[in-house]
Amino acid sequence: MIVNITTSFSFLLVLATVLYDFYSKKKVKSLENNYFIILTYLNVVALILDIVIYTVVLITNDTFINFIFIKILLIYYLIFMAILLMYFYIVSNKIKSNKNIKYIKTKKTVFLIYFITVLLVFFFPNINNIYNYNILLSEDIVYFVYFTGMVSLFIIFYIIKKNIKNITKQNYVVIFIIFLFGILSVIVQFYIPELLLIIPVHTLVILLIYFSIENPDLKLVKKLEKINKKYLVASNAKTEFLSNMSHEMRTPLNVINGLTESLLYNEKLDNKTKEDLENIKKASIALLETVGNILDIDKIENKKINIKNEVYNIKHIMDNTINLNKERLKNKDVKIFCEIDKNMPTYFKGDPIYIKTIFTNLISNACKYTNKGIISINLSYKNSNIIFIVKDTGIGISKSNQKLLFKKFSRLDLKNNIKIEGTGLGLAIVKELVGNLKGSIKVESKVNKGSIFTIILKQTKVDYKSKKSKSLVNTINLKNKKILIVDDNDLNILVLKRMLNKTNVIIDEAHDGLECLNKLNKNKYDLVLMDIMMPKLSGVETLSKISNKNFPIIAVTADALKTSKDKYIKLGFDDYIQKPVSKDYLLEVINIHI
Ligand code: ADP
């Protein structure tokens, strides 16, 4: 008897600690929560009764009190099983509201059945043998209560199995342990009746539930996981939408950019028209840059970065980038200088697109955020590392803002920068790309004094002789050569035609894959420029239908960031030109293959 009192007392202390822990934490109020609380309080009351009545019986040896206690104990057991059954019903069916019709019906049925069993126990005329602690096993009513308990356990097990998809593997294991516990305790109780296991076993069940399902910390973690998952899905959907939109925007932007560029070649333009055209070009370049950044961040977030390993001309990339950005400095009192170390190699092996993205973002930032003074760019090569430094005398970045510089979508100092176009993606992309290329980036900056961005990239130099490294714009002559341009978009064809207009080349056009195949059957061409995304027959399908290919076919695609040159070469193309097409690059590629 003393053992029973001390056991109950220790369990009471443990339960008090759990309750303290439960109430001291922030938690989400729910139906299952309420049932768990009822279970706990029931058990607390039973433990207190256990201690009080045992003590009284120990002191007074009063048989009547003992008799009442056993009746209360049996009734408590039935109520506990009813609540436990309802608890697992709610958990496994994920019932959130007490207005749920299915829940109300089940609750009524369960409580009615258990109420009848409680009445039966209450009015059962007599429990004999009350002096004997074996009493718990000596009466039919006791067997009846144990039988009800067993049935309840099997019903719980059945409910859980039926709703197994709603229960995590970990919780399923816990529920299975509780089930085993229940069965074992009844068997042990049967053979060692003086142990009086019911109340302590219930305490253990409560503890198991608490540490596996009901702990507010666990619930909070699960809730956060859910929110995080939802957030990720929403964020991915947003990036995917932006990236699809950007992809669609590239083709028309390419047309605007290309046509503006070719219009600017006309020497007869008056100053006003020239200025307007330059502004259109400036705006379309800025837009193309934004679109490029969105496509890049999409690639980075979806881990689609695929670093190429091809020969590129770094001086060419630098020239192009500076030329594009010079537009931004018009109407500003800013001079831009580029110093390339005399020992700087020209050709490297690596990823020209990403190198260009890094250069473009840093140089365009220097141009955007400098209103007066000098931008100096320095390019050198030491110990197999390209060192690229961009120094400006611009608005600078405060120490606190420097920490946020590389975060996605972070546009800083908006009070002063609100009129400057930007997405806050550029430096986040640069940081990721530099990391992917195993390089490093450093920033030094002072407000109103300027900034210095230093990038170190490991790249291998190569000795490579290009057919012609100088700009070909005015030198290439393709007299008597015939090129077929295949594109479903007339404006794209127009852009390419204008770009080739000084080369004296003969140009023919086809507006889809079938027309291309027809023309190839009838005429002889020296080179084909083939768009990829075309209705009916794509560029790749058209290529596969060409039977005797004895001329170069160049893929020209807006899908530039998502595919690699290698992919198109593997598909059978001789080379690949990325849209928006650069005039210099177009002429260089044609010059190599024709
Ligand atoms: P964006 O220029 O599109 O806003 P970035 O990621 O390239 O995005 O740059 C993030 C922010 O860092 C900019 O909004 C700007 O406030 C600041 N910043 C970047 N480069 C410079 C610079 N050279 N001088 C001053 N501020 C800069």
Side-chain angles (χ1 to χ4, degrees), residues 365 368-369 392 397 405 410-412 417 422-424 426-427 451:
N365 274 352
K368 280 181 345 191
Y369 301 107
D392 66 54
I397 310 152
L405 213 50
S410 65
R411 301 218 60 215
L412 312 169
N417 295 343
T423 52
L427 289 177
S451 316

Side-chain angles (χ1 to χ4, degrees), residues 85-86 88-90 92-93 106 154-164 167:
L85 200 153
M86 280 311 291
F88 280 117
Y89 172 77
I90 290 162
S92 59
N93 283 288
T106 318
F154 277 103
I155 294 174
I156 291 174
F157 200 67
Y158 169 76
I159 295 173
I160 305 276
K161 258 201 101 54
K162 214 175 125 197
N163 300 296
I164 197 91
I167 292 171

Side-chain angles (χ1 to χ4, degrees), residues 129 131-139 192-194:
N129 220 358
Y131 303 106
N132 182 354
Y133 290 114
N134 283 349
I135 193 154
L136 277 177
L137 291 165
S138 63
E139 293 292 336
I192 324 171
E194 63 274 16

Side-chain angles (χ1 to χ4, degrees), residues 316-325 356 359-360 363:
H316 228 119
I317 293 179
M318 183 57 83
D319 271 0
N320 264 334
T321 317
I322 294 175
N323 278 336
L324 274 181
N325 277 287
K356 189 171 180 185
F359 285 4
T360 305
I363 295 174

Side-chain angles (χ1 to χ4, degrees), residues 358-359 362 386-390 430 434 439-442 453-457:
I358 294 170
F359 285 4
L362 290 195
I386 292 178
I387 304 162
F388 168 61
I389 304 169
V390 184
V430 169
V434 168
S440 64
I441 179 163
K442 195 176 92 188
F453 284 81
T454 307
I455 285 194
I456 299 180
L457 294 170

Side-chain angles (χ1 to χ4, degrees), residues 311-450:
V311 176
Y312 64 88
N313 181 332
I314 197 157
K315 292 176 184 168
H316 228 119
I317 293 179
M318 183 57 83
D319 271 0
N320 264 334
T321 317
I322 294 175
N323 278 336
L324 274 181
N325 277 287
K326 271 185 180 160
E327 303 284 333
R328 283 201 161 99
L329 298 177
K330 289 210 167 131
N331 311 323
K332 274 195 196 179
D333 184 15
V334 180
K335 297 258 170 306
I336 185 163
F337 298 103
C338 176
E339 194 190 326
I340 299 182
D341 190 81
K342 62 180 188 315
N343 296 323
M344 181 77 194
T346 304
Y347 291 99
F348 286 90
K349 222 165 176 206
D351 196 314
I353 292 178
Y354 289 140
I355 296 288
K356 189 171 180 185
T357 308
I358 294 170
F359 285 4
T360 305
N361 276 302
L362 290 195
I363 295 174
S364 74
N365 274 352
C367 296
K368 280 181 345 191
Y369 301 107
T370 307
N371 299 319
K372 216 171 165 219
I374 294 167
I375 295 171
S376 60
I377 299 156
N378 198 294
L379 197 60
S380 58
Y381 189 66
K382 259 183 219 147
N383 306 327
S384 308
N385 285 316
I386 292 178
I387 304 162
F388 168 61
I389 304 169
V390 184
K391 219 179 202 173
D392 66 54
T393 53
I395 58 168
I397 310 152
S398 67
K399 272 259 163 318
S400 56
N401 276 347
Q402 284 177 34
K403 288 181 199 136
L404 308 169
L405 213 50
F406 300 104
K407 281 214 169 96
K408 207 172 66 167
F409 296 115
S410 65
R411 301 218 60 215
L412 312 169
D413 203 7
L414 271 184
K415 207 170 68 196
N416 297 317
N417 295 343
I418 195 77
K419 285 200 178 134
I420 303 173
E421 85 280 354
T423 52
L425 289 174
L427 289 177
I429 292 169
V430 169
K431 175 101 198 257
E432 281 291 331
L433 292 181
V434 168
N436 273 287
L437 297 173
K438 312 231 171 337
S440 64
I441 179 163
K442 195 176 92 188
V443 191
E444 293 153 80
S445 188
K446 271 202 180 128
V447 176
N448 295 330
K449 289 261 176 337

